[in-house]
Amino acid sequence: MLNSLRLFAGMACLAALALLGCKPSSPAPSGGASGTASATRRVAVVVSTLNNPWFVVLAETARDRARELGYEATLFDSQNDPAKEAQHFDNLIAAGYSAVLFNCTDAGGSVANVRRAKAAGIPVFCMDREITANDAAVSQILSDNYSGCVALGQYFVEQVGEKGTYIELLGLIADTNTWNRSKGFHSVVDRYPDLKMVAQQSADFDRSKALEVLESLLQAHPNVNAVFCGNDAMAMGAYQALLAAGKASKVKVFGFDGADDVVRSIAEGKITATVMQFPKTMARSAAENADRYLKGERNFPQRTPVAVELVTRDNVAKFGDYGRKP
Amino acid sequence: MATPSSEAPPRLRPVAWPWWVGAGLLLALFVIYPPVRLVKRGATASAAGGATAATFSAAAWVETFWRDRLQPAATRAPELAAFLQTLRDRPSAARSGSGKVLLRGSGRVTAVERNRVLVEVEGALVALVTGPVFGNAVRDGSGLVEVNDVPGLAEFNEVSAVINRLVEERVQPGIRAGARPGVVLRFAGCAEVPEELPAAPAPLLSLVPVWVEVTP
């Protein structure tokens, strides 16, 4: 009996030592006022995907602004996979990063990752995509998607008319941006009973999926007047599908994001409209919030909506490079 | 001849640790690294979207806002006529802040259209929206609602939708019933300040009315 207890105690000691060895090699930041960004401080930029130019701009701007502020900054691509995102958080917590600039894959599911980082003393600053908790991230810099799609919906009615049929391509189902955009759009369009949505399907914010989904939907609904897409990547995929079906000149395509290729397509008359959200503004603000936090500031509003702007053929000359031209 | 037992190396005697050392270490381990963690129910709910988000009622919130904050604010809003003068003279100053404003004024109806009523205010033309109300002109223009007043962005948007519905239910019917060319309207409403001044004869501002009084 005594031998067993001794063996168990020895194993417990070994386990304790092993767990101690798992602690971050550099201490987690206390968030105290260091005054300047130490050379050893590192910022992680965790982004939902780098398979979409808009998110590449968001992530690289956040990384570059963090570097300008004196931090080492590293990109982590979650590839739209919550499991990969969770692994990134495991790694960055173990590695003792000072802060996370975060674009989540799942509004609800990602909250646990943010809480784990917070528990480890690593503050998280959300960019563009909301998490559904008010006490996990330090701040959330978010696009005002609903308002943008209200404006887009009004322009949609102007362009398509008060009578017709349309298809909606939704983004990621678990992302609140998907629904804020859809609800903003429908808050307008649903007021016109003769404007009928004949199909609504997710294409995961992905260009290739949008192409496939719309090709399939056009078989069942060949005479639609318009396609409303929850982002610009899907709008480009939808346009390709319409082009292949010989309907590009007859069906109006609406996007959201303000991606460069779509802004050019609006100027060329291929896409009807998009909504410019400002990834560079959001990324810089998140990085600057992180810097201020690490220097001791604590008074941050939980959510800060960033205004968006409707881009049409009438005003497209004012926009480019993911924002307004100077 | 030496016996084998006398030539064998001495055996190491195992150290006899007291049993309570192991038990103490084990206890310390469980205290430092507990195998389970107790959390409050509220914390779990918050992680899943928040109990407050689940129980938030935009209709109830807006009802209180409309009665206790918006209507009193409408009675002391800046004068429309003075704002229009600033808009013409210094458009950038007029657009400061959120770009949306709450104003009050009075004027004579010049035309009644399908979705709006045109009103002349000291020589300038404005429109009162009488058709479907979209957007956040009232929510943001009032300057009284902030995104962090409600659980999240979805609720913030819902607030806007409910406010717009109340405008359609409580304010617009009075305008549609009483507005005819020549009639004087006293009103308060919210508008998005245009980036560029519209060319005449288009109205300078389009206001979503939150209060109106018709004088025949």
Side-chain angles (χ1 to χ4, degrees):
Chain A
M1 177 66 184
L2 265 179
N3 281 343
S4 299
L5 270 173
R6 283 173 195 143
L7 182 66
F8 189 61
M11 286 174 69
C13 288
L14 283 173
L17 286 170
L19 283 169
L20 285 170
C22 288
K23 285 194 95 177
S25 54
S26 58
S30 64
S34 66
T36 55
S38 158
T40 58
R41 285 195 161 183
R42 290 180 293 165
V43 169
V45 180
V46 182
V47 66
S48 58
T49 177
L50 289 176
N51 192 28
N52 175 332
W54 193 93
F55 288 101
V56 173
V57 170
L58 181 83
E60 289 185 347
T61 306
R63 179 198 62 193
D64 294 347
R65 184 66 186 129
R67 285 178 179 168
E68 283 169 14
L69 291 164
Y71 299 90
E72 285 180 28
T74 311
L75 288 187
F76 293 82
D77 178 7
S78 302
Q79 298 174 21
N80 279 331
D81 181 351
K84 280 199 173 67
E85 180 185 283
Q87 283 172 6
H88 290 329
F89 271 80
D90 288 340
N91 294 337
L92 65 89
I93 289 168
Y97 274 81
S98 300
V100 184
L101 310 180
F102 183 40
N103 172 252
C104 71
T105 57
D106 185 321
S110 296
V111 172
N113 293 330
V114 179
R115 287 197 194 287
R116 280 194 297 128
K118 185 182 178 184
I122 303 172
V124 178
F125 303 82
C126 294
M127 312 180 283
D128 171 53
R129 288 185 177 173
E130 184 182 27
I131 58 164
T132 54
N134 292 331
D135 58 350
V138 173
S139 69
Q140 304 194 48
I141 312 281
L142 310 166
S143 267
D144 193 351
N145 292 280
Y146 182 90
S147 301
C149 279
V150 167
L152 189 74
Q154 289 174 273
Y155 190 69
F156 183 96
V157 176
E158 273 178 45
Q159 293 298 307
V160 178
E162 295 184 15
K163 188 175 183 181
T165 56
Y166 69 94
I167 289 169
E168 179 180 5
L169 296 184
L170 293 164
L172 290 165
I173 298 300
D175 180 17
T176 58
N177 284 354
T178 295
W179 298 109
N180 286 334
R181 291 173 194 175
S182 183
K183 284 178 182 172
F185 177 78
H186 284 285
S187 76
V188 177
V189 176
D190 290 0
R191 300 295 296 273
Y192 299 90
D194 291 330
L195 264 178
K196 295 191 189 306
M197 182 172 71
V198 292
Q200 182 189 50
Q201 199 166 320
S202 171
D204 291 347
F205 288 138
D206 185 87
R207 182 174 179 152
S208 306
K209 279 188 188 166
L211 171 64
E212 287 169 24
V213 168
L214 192 62
E215 275 179 345
S216 166
L217 290 174
L218 285 173
Q219 303 294 319
H221 310 284
N223 298 316
V224 290
N225 304 106
V227 183
F228 165 56
C229 306
N231 79 342
D232 279 349
M234 294 193 295
M236 289 305 288
Y239 180 77
Q240 278 181 291
L242 291 165
L243 202 61
K247 296 175 186 293
S249 61
K250 296 173 192 157
V251 182
K252 296 182 190 305
V253 178
F254 298 78
F256 191 103
D257 273 346
D260 264 359
D261 50 359
V262 165
V263 170
R264 280 196 300 275
S265 296
I266 291 170
E268 292 164 4
K270 295 174 180 171
I271 304 278
T272 304
T274 186
V275 174
M276 176 64 72
Q277 43 178 351
F278 297 89
K280 292 181 177 179
T281 303
M282 288 187 280
R284 285 194 196 106
S285 300
E288 286 160 12
N289 276 4
D291 181 51
R292 283 160 47 208
Y293 183 93
L294 292 172
K295 287 176 177 167
E297 188 171 332
R298 289 294 179 271
N299 189 22
F300 294 90
Q302 175 59 211
R303 287 177 175 79
T304 304
V306 175
V308 296
E309 292 188 54
L310 181 68
V311 182
T312 69
R313 203 162 188 188
D314 295 335
N315 68 357
V316 69
K318 294 178 181 172
F319 297 93
D321 195 22
Y322 297 89
R324 259 185 181 259
K325 286 180 181 169
Chain B
M1 191 174 159
T3 62
S5 59
S6 63
E7 288 174 356
R11 290 180 65 188
L12 290 173
R13 195 175 167 217
V15 179
W17 291 98
W19 66 269
W20 49 266
V21 172
L25 277 170
L26 194 63
L27 186 67
L29 194 66
F30 273 77
V31 170
I32 297 167
Y33 301 103
V36 292
R37 191 163 64 91
L38 299 178
V39 294
K40 286 182 182 174
R41 275 186 169 189
T44 311
S46 181
T52 46
T55 56
F56 178 77
S57 163
W61 195 95
V62 170
E63 191 62 48
T64 307
F65 165 75
W66 182 276
R67 183 188 62 233
D68 297 345
R69 300 174 70 197
L70 182 62
Q71 292 301 313
T75 63
R76 53 176 188 271
E79 276 288 343
L80 174 61
F83 183 84
L84 291 174
Q85 192 61 50
T86 307
L87 184 62
R88 280 177 295 207
D89 296 345
R90 292 179 293 130
S92 57
R95 271 190 67 79
S96 62
S98 72
K100 301 185 181 90
V101 287
L102 169 62
L103 301 160
R104 70 188 161 92
S106 64
R108 196 169 294 279
V109 174
T110 61
V112 177
E113 299 180 353
R114 182 184 169 211
N115 286 324
R116 65 183 187 175
V117 168
L118 299 181
V119 182
E120 190 184 325
V121 180
E122 298 190 12
L125 200 63
V126 298
L128 294 183
V129 176
T130 55
V133 181
F134 304 120
N136 308 317
V138 178
R139 186 195 68 189
D140 299 345
S142 70
L144 300 169
V145 189
E146 208 250 320
V147 64
N148 295 301
D149 293 342
V150 295
L153 271 185
E155 292 75 23
F156 195 47
N157 298 329
E158 209 182 335
V159 161
S160 215
V162 176
I163 291 173
N164 293 346
R165 200 178 66 228
L166 289 194
V167 169
E168 293 179 11
E169 289 173 1
R170 298 183 181 178
V171 186
Q172 290 182 335
I175 303 176
R176 283 197 293 268
R180 285 176 297 281
V183 160
V184 172
L185 295 182
R186 287 178 63 223
F187 56 87
C190 295
E192 189 161 350
V193 185
E195 198 176 337
E196 291 166 6
L197 283 185
L204 280 177
L205 277 184
S206 227
L207 293 121
V208 176
V210 298
W211 172 83
V212 71
E213 190 177 82
V214 183
T215 308

